[in-house]
Amino acid sequence: MLTSKVAYGSGRKGLTDPLAVLRSKGAEVALEDGCIRLRFERSVRLDIRKRCYAYAAHFEALLKLQLDVPPGERPRTVQQLVGVGRVLWRAGRFVLP
């Protein structure tokens, strides 16, 4: 499994942004026909690709919320989703209301 350390560097605890974690590993993440699609740079190793697919499957619902934006707009961050109440952060876990 990929860790949130990738998103925050120095091991700082807080909200993990799955989209940022996947992008930091060289994945381009998109929502196509209601499914999460990952595309990688050629230089990304196969073992990292497999871990990214497993990570994306684990956070599929959250990634869909982040990527479900009108064309031309930037994807939402986890902080934005928590701020408007679309995602709750309880006991160190994301909860969809």
Side-chain angles (χ1 to χ4, degrees):
M1 217 51 181
L2 299 176
T3 64
S4 61
K5 261 189 189 175
V6 178
Y8 287 109
S10 71
R12 192 177 109 204
K13 291 189 177 189
L15 296 177
T16 300
D17 191 331
L19 187 57
V21 171
L22 290 168
R23 286 179 174 172
S24 74
K25 291 297 184 181
E28 179 186 322
V29 187
L31 183 64
E32 296 176 1
D33 299 324
C35 297
I36 301 295
R37 301 281 185 225
L38 301 178
R39 292 184 195 87
F40 295 93
E41 301 167 0
R42 295 188 101 201
S43 61
V44 177
R45 295 186 336 236
L46 182 60
D47 62 320
I48 293 174
R49 290 178 192 217
K50 287 180 180 180
R51 286 189 294 165
C52 285
Y53 282 115
Y55 189 81
H58 182 75
F59 286 107
E60 182 177 4
L62 184 56
L63 285 167
K64 285 181 180 180
L65 283 175
Q66 286 186 274
L67 295 168
D68 188 24
V69 294
E73 287 191 24
R74 299 180 85 184
R76 297 177 185 101
T77 64
V78 171
Q79 290 81 2
Q80 288 172 328
L81 293 171
V82 169
V84 297
R86 303 263 326 256
V87 174
L88 304 175
W89 179 253
R90 291 202 180 130
R93 298 184 63 130
F94 292 112
V95 179
L96 300 177

